[in-house]
Amino acid sequence: MQFSVGLEYSLHCLLYMVDFPAGESIGIKELALYQGVSETYLSKAFTKLRKAGIVLSVPGVNGGYALARKPEDISFWNVVEAIEGTTPLFQCSEIRQREVLLDKDNLPDTHTKCPCLIKVVMLEAEDQMRQYLKNKTLAWLHEQVKNKLPEEQRKATSDWFKNSRARK
Amino acid sequence: MQFSVGLEYSLHCLLYMVDFPAGESIGIKELALYQGVSETYLSKAFTKLRKAGIVLSVPGVNGGYALARKPEDISFWNVVEAIEGTTPLFQCSEIRQREVLLDKDNLPDTHTKCPCLIKVVMLEAEDQMRQYLKNKTLAWLHEQVKNKLPEEQRKATSDWFKNSRARK
DNA sequence: ATAATTATAGATATTATTTATCCAGAATAT
DNA sequence: ATATTCTGGATAAATAATATCTATAATTAT
């Protein structure tokens, strides 16, 4: 049980995109090439990001994607939810309702109206993770990286993407 | 991306087992039958629980499983870890090391010695969930359920398991 | 207008994982 | 001895994740 690699791809892409000049878009081809990942698979992830309102898309020649919101308004959780979906990690198939002693046509209120406590605990646990991820924004991440990564490296990356259009 | 149903099965089984008389064991067959789940699949989960030291097994006729520790000393996290394993939910394949600009034979320290910050955030988020689950014990769950479930229902369940051996 | 580029959507393929079953072996109570 | 129960391995089926391909629509550049 793991998050998809599409999530890892997405988070890295979005981080690069913070540095792009406003109003410009970058193509999936460039993002995939730069990171050495599958272009078509990455494009599926970006379709999800667009549907979640995290990026916007520009079709046509020199089109691509750009952040749809300010990095301050994009949280890790936004991305996780966009890529992984909204169904809880814990799958509750309500097996308690299958208990052999129960009259399946007339289940007791405890088994229908009251939530399964095991499920409640698991969902609350997930909520701890969710809250943490909601508090970490793309802007925050960008700031952290800026402090760690040498200026020259960041410039090289920025330039590579800037020139990617010219190279074609 | 979801936890396995084996986790749901396991948690419910362990909760039933709190009520079993000390020194007695219960068979997989009974646990599976009572809940209407796959017996062979459940047995695989219990092998994991045993290897994690959560239950102990008694082979042979009238053998089965019993809690290996006090319910106070069995946390939700113990069970999650036993069933799902210890690898983090977030898969970090270090795609940053594939960046096209990098000399793959001579990666910069930032990309090898420093942890990927995206990974750090995701692991810390998981840790929030982990801490919460470590604080919820089987004993606590049992107490909660005791307050919600009518005494008669709990007795019926307890009796069913008690008589399961006699029924054979 | 035409051609080239790029996102979009759907279909498909491949691989990995999850869920489930089956069987042979070892241990144990009766 | 025999029946029962866990153990481990092999296997099968179903589902999900990863990846590719194709056709289409939108847009820019020529």
mmCIF file of all heavy atoms in Angstrom, chain A residues 111-150:
data_model
loop_
_atom_site.group_PDB
_atom_site.id
_atom_site.type_symbol
_atom_site.label_atom_id
_atom_site.label_comp_id
_atom_site.label_asym_id
_atom_site.label_seq_id
_atom_site.Cartn_x
_atom_site.Cartn_y
_atom_site.Cartn_z
ATOM 1 N N HIS A 111 -25.298 -1.505 14.528
ATOM 2 C CA HIS A 111 -24.516 -1.907 13.359
ATOM 3 C C HIS A 111 -24.847 -1.087 12.119
ATOM 4 O O HIS A 111 -24.194 -1.231 11.092
ATOM 5 C CB HIS A 111 -24.731 -3.392 13.072
ATOM 6 C CG HIS A 111 -23.997 -4.283 14.024
ATOM 7 N ND1 HIS A 111 -24.245 -4.285 15.376
ATOM 8 C CD2 HIS A 111 -22.998 -5.190 13.819
ATOM 9 C CE1 HIS A 111 -23.439 -5.165 15.958
ATOM 10 N NE2 HIS A 111 -22.679 -5.720 15.047
ATOM 11 N N THR A 112 -25.865 -0.256 12.209
ATOM 12 C CA THR A 112 -26.208 0.550 11.032
ATOM 13 C C THR A 112 -26.098 2.049 11.328
ATOM 14 O O THR A 112 -25.446 2.791 10.602
ATOM 15 C CB THR A 112 -27.643 0.242 10.562
ATOM 16 O OG1 THR A 112 -28.547 0.427 11.657
ATOM 17 C CG2 THR A 112 -27.744 -1.178 10.043
ATOM 18 N N LYS A 113 -26.707 2.464 12.452
ATOM 19 C CA LYS A 113 -26.707 3.903 12.764
ATOM 20 C C LYS A 113 -25.375 4.352 13.374
ATOM 21 O O LYS A 113 -24.879 5.431 13.067
ATOM 22 C CB LYS A 113 -27.853 4.226 13.724
ATOM 23 C CG LYS A 113 -29.238 3.878 13.137
ATOM 24 C CD LYS A 113 -30.269 4.955 13.429
ATOM 25 C CE LYS A 113 -31.604 4.698 12.752
ATOM 26 N NZ LYS A 113 -32.531 3.837 13.533
ATOM 27 N N CYS A 114 -24.800 3.532 14.257
ATOM 28 C CA CYS A 114 -23.529 3.902 14.878
ATOM 29 C C CYS A 114 -22.367 3.548 13.949
ATOM 30 O O CYS A 114 -22.337 2.453 13.402
ATOM 31 C CB CYS A 114 -23.339 3.169 16.203
ATOM 32 S SG CYS A 114 -24.642 3.484 17.391
ATOM 33 N N PRO A 115 -21.435 4.463 13.792
ATOM 34 C CA PRO A 115 -20.284 4.143 12.951
ATOM 35 C C PRO A 115 -19.403 3.093 13.622
ATOM 36 O O PRO A 115 -19.337 3.031 14.854
ATOM 37 C CB PRO A 115 -19.551 5.479 12.836
ATOM 38 C CG PRO A 115 -19.952 6.239 14.048
ATOM 39 C CD PRO A 115 -21.345 5.814 14.379
ATOM 40 N N CYS A 116 -18.782 2.291 12.822
ATOM 41 C CA CYS A 116 -17.821 1.303 13.316
ATOM 42 C C CYS A 116 -16.655 2.064 13.958
ATOM 43 O O CYS A 116 -16.025 2.907 13.325
ATOM 44 C CB CYS A 116 -17.340 0.461 12.148
ATOM 45 S SG CYS A 116 -15.982 -0.636 12.527
ATOM 46 N N LEU A 117 -16.377 1.770 15.227
ATOM 47 C CA LEU A 117 -15.353 2.539 15.949
ATOM 48 C C LEU A 117 -13.959 2.346 15.383
ATOM 49 O O LEU A 117 -13.116 3.233 15.453
ATOM 50 C CB LEU A 117 -15.381 2.174 17.429
ATOM 51 C CG LEU A 117 -16.528 2.813 18.216
ATOM 52 C CD1 LEU A 117 -16.574 2.268 19.632
ATOM 53 C CD2 LEU A 117 -16.369 4.331 18.235
ATOM 54 N N ILE A 118 -13.726 1.165 14.843
ATOM 55 C CA ILE A 118 -12.435 0.911 14.206
ATOM 56 C C ILE A 118 -12.245 1.862 13.036
ATOM 57 O O ILE A 118 -11.183 2.465 12.860
ATOM 58 C CB ILE A 118 -12.347 -0.562 13.747
ATOM 59 C CG1 ILE A 118 -12.234 -1.471 14.979
ATOM 60 C CG2 ILE A 118 -11.191 -0.770 12.794
ATOM 61 C CD1 ILE A 118 -12.329 -2.951 14.689
ATOM 62 N N LYS A 119 -13.307 2.013 12.281
ATOM 63 C CA LYS A 119 -13.277 2.943 11.153
ATOM 64 C C LYS A 119 -13.046 4.379 11.635
ATOM 65 O O LYS A 119 -12.234 5.115 11.065
ATOM 66 C CB LYS A 119 -14.596 2.846 10.392
ATOM 67 C CG LYS A 119 -14.797 3.859 9.303
ATOM 68 C CD LYS A 119 -16.173 3.644 8.679
ATOM 69 C CE LYS A 119 -16.618 4.797 7.804
ATOM 70 N NZ LYS A 119 -17.972 4.537 7.251
ATOM 71 N N VAL A 120 -13.741 4.748 12.709
ATOM 72 C CA VAL A 120 -13.600 6.102 13.245
ATOM 73 C C VAL A 120 -12.149 6.397 13.606
ATOM 74 O O VAL A 120 -11.606 7.449 13.247
ATOM 75 C CB VAL A 120 -14.514 6.300 14.479
ATOM 76 C CG1 VAL A 120 -14.187 7.605 15.180
ATOM 77 C CG2 VAL A 120 -15.977 6.262 14.052
ATOM 78 N N VAL A 121 -11.530 5.456 14.291
ATOM 79 C CA VAL A 121 -10.132 5.650 14.692
ATOM 80 C C VAL A 121 -9.227 5.796 13.471
ATOM 81 O O VAL A 121 -8.393 6.708 13.395
ATOM 82 C CB VAL A 121 -9.641 4.475 15.562
ATOM 83 C CG1 VAL A 121 -8.135 4.544 15.769
ATOM 84 C CG2 VAL A 121 -10.362 4.474 16.896
ATOM 85 N N MET A 122 -9.425 4.929 12.518
ATOM 86 C CA MET A 122 -8.563 4.974 11.334
ATOM 87 C C MET A 122 -8.750 6.272 10.556
ATOM 88 O O MET A 122 -7.780 6.867 10.075
ATOM 89 C CB MET A 122 -8.840 3.767 10.435
ATOM 90 C CG MET A 122 -8.409 2.429 11.029
ATOM 91 S SD MET A 122 -6.653 2.327 11.487
ATOM 92 C CE MET A 122 -5.867 2.489 9.878
ATOM 93 N N LEU A 123 -9.991 6.727 10.461
ATOM 94 C CA LEU A 123 -10.238 7.969 9.724
ATOM 95 C C LEU A 123 -9.662 9.174 10.470
ATOM 96 O O LEU A 123 -9.150 10.111 9.855
ATOM 97 C CB LEU A 123 -11.742 8.160 9.476
ATOM 98 C CG LEU A 123 -12.402 7.135 8.552
ATOM 99 C CD1 LEU A 123 -13.808 7.568 8.185
ATOM 100 C CD2 LEU A 123 -11.589 6.905 7.292
ATOM 101 N N GLU A 124 -9.738 9.128 11.797
ATOM 102 C CA GLU A 124 -9.154 10.227 12.571
ATOM 103 C C GLU A 124 -7.635 10.236 12.439
ATOM 104 O O GLU A 124 -7.009 11.300 12.404
ATOM 105 C CB GLU A 124 -9.571 10.112 14.043
ATOM 106 C CG GLU A 124 -10.984 10.633 14.285
ATOM 107 C CD GLU A 124 -11.444 10.442 15.726
ATOM 108 O OE1 GLU A 124 -10.724 9.792 16.509
ATOM 109 O OE2 GLU A 124 -12.542 10.938 16.056
ATOM 110 N N ALA A 125 -7.073 9.046 12.340
ATOM 111 C CA ALA A 125 -5.627 8.963 12.141
ATOM 112 C C ALA A 125 -5.239 9.591 10.801
ATOM 113 O O ALA A 125 -4.282 10.372 10.718
ATOM 114 C CB ALA A 125 -5.169 7.512 12.198
ATOM 115 N N GLU A 126 -6.007 9.258 9.788
ATOM 116 C CA GLU A 126 -5.751 9.852 8.476
ATOM 117 C C GLU A 126 -5.889 11.369 8.546
ATOM 118 O O GLU A 126 -5.167 12.110 7.871
ATOM 119 C CB GLU A 126 -6.729 9.305 7.434
ATOM 120 C CG GLU A 126 -6.484 7.860 7.073
ATOM 121 C CD GLU A 126 -7.512 7.322 6.089
ATOM 122 O OE1 GLU A 126 -7.942 8.048 5.187
ATOM 123 O OE2 GLU A 126 -7.907 6.139 6.236
ATOM 124 N N ASP A 127 -6.807 11.806 9.367
ATOM 125 C CA ASP A 127 -7.043 13.233 9.482
ATOM 126 C C ASP A 127 -5.830 13.957 10.078
ATOM 127 O O ASP A 127 -5.572 15.117 9.735
ATOM 128 C CB ASP A 127 -8.286 13.486 10.340
ATOM 129 C CG ASP A 127 -8.954 14.792 9.972
ATOM 130 O OD1 ASP A 127 -9.197 14.994 8.766
ATOM 131 O OD2 ASP A 127 -9.195 15.611 10.870
ATOM 132 N N GLN A 128 -5.099 13.269 10.941
ATOM 133 C CA GLN A 128 -3.873 13.859 11.483
ATOM 134 C C GLN A 128 -2.889 14.153 10.354
ATOM 135 O O GLN A 128 -2.298 15.224 10.274
ATOM 136 C CB GLN A 128 -3.212 12.893 12.475
ATOM 137 C CG GLN A 128 -4.097 12.487 13.640
ATOM 138 C CD GLN A 128 -4.518 13.668 14.477
ATOM 139 O OE1 GLN A 128 -3.675 14.457 14.885
ATOM 140 N NE2 GLN A 128 -5.818 13.817 14.709
ATOM 141 N N MET A 129 -2.760 13.179 9.492
ATOM 142 C CA MET A 129 -1.876 13.342 8.340
ATOM 143 C C MET A 129 -2.379 14.468 7.442
ATOM 144 O O MET A 129 -1.601 15.321 7.001
ATOM 145 C CB MET A 129 -1.814 12.022 7.569
ATOM 146 C CG MET A 129 -0.923 12.056 6.354
ATOM 147 S SD MET A 129 -0.622 10.398 5.674
ATOM 148 C CE MET A 129 -2.229 9.998 5.026
ATOM 149 N N ARG A 130 -3.662 14.468 7.221
ATOM 150 C CA ARG A 130 -4.267 15.465 6.347
ATOM 151 C C ARG A 130 -4.009 16.880 6.856
ATOM 152 O O ARG A 130 -3.613 17.767 6.102
ATOM 153 C CB ARG A 130 -5.779 15.208 6.245
ATOM 154 C CG ARG A 130 -6.500 16.168 5.313
ATOM 155 C CD ARG A 130 -7.981 15.824 5.217
ATOM 156 N NE ARG A 130 -8.184 14.438 4.823
ATOM 157 C CZ ARG A 130 -8.782 13.508 5.544
ATOM 158 N NH1 ARG A 130 -9.294 13.816 6.720
ATOM 159 N NH2 ARG A 130 -8.886 12.278 5.091
ATOM 160 N N GLN A 131 -4.230 17.083 8.145
ATOM 161 C CA GLN A 131 -4.030 18.412 8.716
ATOM 162 C C GLN A 131 -2.593 18.878 8.534
ATOM 163 O O GLN A 131 -2.336 20.035 8.211
ATOM 164 C CB GLN A 131 -4.403 18.417 10.206
ATOM 165 C CG GLN A 131 -5.894 18.272 10.471
ATOM 166 C CD GLN A 131 -6.743 19.264 9.682
ATOM 167 O OE1 GLN A 131 -6.378 20.418 9.520
ATOM 168 N NE2 GLN A 131 -7.867 18.813 9.158
ATOM 169 N N TYR A 132 -1.681 17.971 8.748
ATOM 170 C CA TYR A 132 -0.264 18.320 8.593
ATOM 171 C C TYR A 132 0.018 18.745 7.157
ATOM 172 O O TYR A 132 0.685 19.753 6.913
ATOM 173 C CB TYR A 132 0.601 17.120 8.982
ATOM 174 C CG TYR A 132 2.082 17.395 8.924
ATOM 175 C CD1 TYR A 132 2.757 17.894 10.023
ATOM 176 C CD2 TYR A 132 2.799 17.150 7.760
ATOM 177 C CE1 TYR A 132 4.115 18.146 9.977
ATOM 178 C CE2 TYR A 132 4.165 17.402 7.696
ATOM 179 C CZ TYR A 132 4.808 17.905 8.810
ATOM 180 O OH TYR A 132 6.160 18.159 8.756
ATOM 181 N N LEU A 133 -0.513 17.994 6.223
ATOM 182 C CA LEU A 133 -0.247 18.278 4.804
ATOM 183 C C LEU A 133 -0.953 19.544 4.333
ATOM 184 O O LEU A 133 -0.498 20.219 3.415
ATOM 185 C CB LEU A 133 -0.669 17.083 3.940
ATOM 186 C CG LEU A 133 0.192 15.831 4.122
ATOM 187 C CD1 LEU A 133 -0.371 14.663 3.320
ATOM 188 C CD2 LEU A 133 1.638 16.098 3.714
ATOM 189 N N LYS A 134 -2.078 19.853 4.978
ATOM 190 C CA LYS A 134 -2.778 21.084 4.624
ATOM 191 C C LYS A 134 -1.961 22.308 5.020
ATOM 192 O O LYS A 134 -2.090 23.378 4.434
ATOM 193 C CB LYS A 134 -4.142 21.133 5.332
ATOM 194 C CG LYS A 134 -5.224 20.345 4.625
ATOM 195 C CD LYS A 134 -6.568 20.534 5.320
ATOM 196 C CE LYS A 134 -7.675 19.795 4.561
ATOM 197 N NZ LYS A 134 -8.959 19.833 5.304
ATOM 198 N N ASN A 135 -1.120 22.143 6.040
ATOM 199 C CA ASN A 135 -0.329 23.265 6.534
ATOM 200 C C ASN A 135 0.992 23.463 5.795
ATOM 201 O O ASN A 135 1.703 24.438 6.047
ATOM 202 C CB ASN A 135 -0.042 23.071 8.028
ATOM 203 C CG ASN A 135 -1.223 23.511 8.865
ATOM 204 O OD1 ASN A 135 -1.891 24.482 8.535
ATOM 205 N ND2 ASN A 135 -1.484 22.793 9.941
ATOM 206 N N LYS A 136 1.329 22.527 4.947
ATOM 207 C CA LYS A 136 2.570 22.678 4.180
ATOM 208 C C LYS A 136 2.213 23.111 2.767
ATOM 209 O O LYS A 136 1.598 22.370 2.019
ATOM 210 C CB LYS A 136 3.327 21.341 4.132
ATOM 211 C CG LYS A 136 3.783 20.829 5.481
ATOM 212 C CD LYS A 136 4.879 21.692 6.071
ATOM 213 C CE LYS A 136 5.291 21.169 7.443
ATOM 214 N NZ LYS A 136 6.215 22.086 8.132
ATOM 215 N N THR A 137 2.630 24.317 2.430
ATOM 216 C CA THR A 137 2.292 24.828 1.102
ATOM 217 C C THR A 137 3.477 24.735 0.159
ATOM 218 O O THR A 137 4.621 24.545 0.584
ATOM 219 C CB THR A 137 1.855 26.301 1.166
ATOM 220 O OG1 THR A 137 2.983 27.102 1.542
ATOM 221 C CG2 THR A 137 0.732 26.487 2.173
ATOM 222 N N LEU A 138 3.167 24.890 -1.100
ATOM 223 C CA LEU A 138 4.193 24.893 -2.126
ATOM 224 C C LEU A 138 5.145 26.071 -1.915
ATOM 225 O O LEU A 138 6.348 25.962 -2.137
ATOM 226 C CB LEU A 138 3.510 24.989 -3.497
ATOM 227 C CG LEU A 138 4.304 24.614 -4.740
ATOM 228 C CD1 LEU A 138 4.957 23.258 -4.585
ATOM 229 C CD2 LEU A 138 3.404 24.642 -5.961
ATOM 230 N N ALA A 139 4.584 27.197 -1.451
ATOM 231 C CA ALA A 139 5.420 28.370 -1.185
ATOM 232 C C ALA A 139 6.422 28.068 -0.078
ATOM 233 O O ALA A 139 7.608 28.422 -0.169
ATOM 234 C CB ALA A 139 4.547 29.557 -0.793
ATOM 235 N N TRP A 140 5.962 27.407 0.952
ATOM 236 C CA TRP A 140 6.840 27.036 2.057
ATOM 237 C C TRP A 140 7.956 26.106 1.570
ATOM 238 O O TRP A 140 9.135 26.298 1.877
ATOM 239 C CB TRP A 140 6.013 26.359 3.158
ATOM 240 C CG TRP A 140 6.845 25.827 4.290
ATOM 241 C CD1 TRP A 140 7.243 26.490 5.403
ATOM 242 C CD2 TRP A 140 7.404 24.502 4.383
ATOM 243 N NE1 TRP A 140 8.011 25.680 6.189
ATOM 244 C CE2 TRP A 140 8.128 24.460 5.596
ATOM 245 C CE3 TRP A 140 7.358 23.375 3.570
ATOM 246 C CZ2 TRP A 140 8.797 23.308 6.012
ATOM 247 C CZ3 TRP A 140 8.032 22.228 3.985
ATOM 248 C CH2 TRP A 140 8.740 22.205 5.195
ATOM 249 N N LEU A 141 7.571 25.110 0.822
ATOM 250 C CA LEU A 141 8.547 24.157 0.291
ATOM 251 C C LEU A 141 9.588 24.874 -0.558
ATOM 252 O O LEU A 141 10.795 24.640 -0.428
ATOM 253 C CB LEU A 141 7.828 23.101 -0.555
ATOM 254 C CG LEU A 141 8.723 22.100 -1.287
ATOM 255 C CD1 LEU A 141 9.469 21.211 -0.303
ATOM 256 C CD2 LEU A 141 7.905 21.251 -2.259
ATOM 257 N N HIS A 142 9.103 25.767 -1.398
ATOM 258 C CA HIS A 142 9.998 26.514 -2.276
ATOM 259 C C HIS A 142 11.021 27.310 -1.475
ATOM 260 O O HIS A 142 12.203 27.364 -1.817
ATOM 261 C CB HIS A 142 9.168 27.442 -3.166
ATOM 262 C CG HIS A 142 9.977 28.207 -4.161
ATOM 263 N ND1 HIS A 142 10.225 29.552 -4.039
ATOM 264 C CD2 HIS A 142 10.596 27.802 -5.295
ATOM 265 C CE1 HIS A 142 10.961 29.940 -5.062
ATOM 266 N NE2 HIS A 142 11.203 28.915 -5.837
ATOM 267 N N GLU A 143 10.540 27.897 -0.405
ATOM 268 C CA GLU A 143 11.417 28.692 0.462
ATOM 269 C C GLU A 143 12.500 27.809 1.092
ATOM 270 O O GLU A 143 13.671 28.180 1.157
ATOM 271 C CB GLU A 143 10.562 29.358 1.549
ATOM 272 C CG GLU A 143 11.303 30.381 2.388
ATOM 273 C CD GLU A 143 11.785 31.573 1.563
ATOM 274 O OE1 GLU A 143 11.130 31.883 0.534
ATOM 275 O OE2 GLU A 143 12.794 32.165 1.932
ATOM 276 N N GLN A 144 12.082 26.634 1.548
ATOM 277 C CA GLN A 144 13.034 25.702 2.163
ATOM 278 C C GLN A 144 14.115 25.299 1.181
ATOM 279 O O GLN A 144 15.308 25.277 1.509
ATOM 280 C CB GLN A 144 12.304 24.444 2.641
ATOM 281 C CG GLN A 144 11.216 24.684 3.674
ATOM 282 C CD GLN A 144 11.773 25.283 4.947
ATOM 283 O OE1 GLN A 144 12.725 24.763 5.492
ATOM 284 N NE2 GLN A 144 11.188 26.373 5.394
ATOM 285 N N VAL A 145 13.676 24.971 -0.022
ATOM 286 C CA VAL A 145 14.625 24.502 -1.033
ATOM 287 C C VAL A 145 15.600 25.615 -1.402
ATOM 288 O O VAL A 145 16.788 25.376 -1.594
ATOM 289 C CB VAL A 145 13.865 24.004 -2.281
ATOM 290 C CG1 VAL A 145 14.831 23.735 -3.420
ATOM 291 C CG2 VAL A 145 13.076 22.745 -1.946
ATOM 292 N N LYS A 146 15.068 26.832 -1.468
ATOM 293 C CA LYS A 146 15.910 27.976 -1.806
ATOM 294 C C LYS A 146 17.088 28.085 -0.839
ATOM 295 O O LYS A 146 18.194 28.440 -1.202
ATOM 296 C CB LYS A 146 15.064 29.254 -1.763
ATOM 297 C CG LYS A 146 15.637 30.336 -2.657
ATOM 298 C CD LYS A 146 14.997 31.689 -2.608
ATOM 299 C CE LYS A 146 13.518 31.837 -2.446
ATOM 300 N NZ LYS A 146 13.033 33.155 -2.884
ATOM 301 N N ASN A 147 16.826 27.741 0.407
ATOM 302 C CA ASN A 147 17.876 27.839 1.423
ATOM 303 C C ASN A 147 18.899 26.712 1.337
ATOM 304 O O ASN A 147 20.012 26.832 1.837
ATOM 305 C CB ASN A 147 17.244 27.826 2.820
ATOM 306 C CG ASN A 147 16.443 29.079 3.073
ATOM 307 O OD1 ASN A 147 16.697 30.121 2.458
ATOM 308 N ND2 ASN A 147 15.459 28.991 3.962
ATOM 309 N N LYS A 148 18.493 25.629 0.723
ATOM 310 C CA LYS A 148 19.373 24.452 0.704
ATOM 311 C C LYS A 148 20.159 24.337 -0.595
ATOM 312 O O LYS A 148 21.306 23.897 -0.598
ATOM 313 C CB LYS A 148 18.532 23.181 0.893
ATOM 314 C CG LYS A 148 17.747 23.135 2.191
ATOM 315 C CD LYS A 148 18.332 22.125 3.144
ATOM 316 C CE LYS A 148 17.564 22.180 4.464
ATOM 317 N NZ LYS A 148 18.159 21.307 5.468
ATOM 318 N N LEU A 149 19.508 24.712 -1.677
ATOM 319 C CA LEU A 149 20.105 24.479 -2.980
ATOM 320 C C LEU A 149 20.944 25.691 -3.410
ATOM 321 O O LEU A 149 20.476 26.820 -3.343
ATOM 322 C CB LEU A 149 18.992 24.223 -4.003
ATOM 323 C CG LEU A 149 19.259 23.200 -5.096
ATOM 324 C CD1 LEU A 149 19.590 21.840 -4.501
ATOM 325 C CD2 LEU A 149 18.051 23.092 -6.009
ATOM 326 N N PRO A 150 22.181 25.452 -3.875
ATOM 327 C CA PRO A 150 23.026 26.548 -4.358
ATOM 328 C C PRO A 150 22.330 27.343 -5.464
ATOM 329 O O PRO A 150 21.655 26.755 -6.317
ATOM 330 C CB PRO A 150 24.259 25.836 -4.927
ATOM 331 C CG PRO A 150 24.256 24.489 -4.326
ATOM 332 C CD PRO A 150 22.851 24.147 -3.979
#
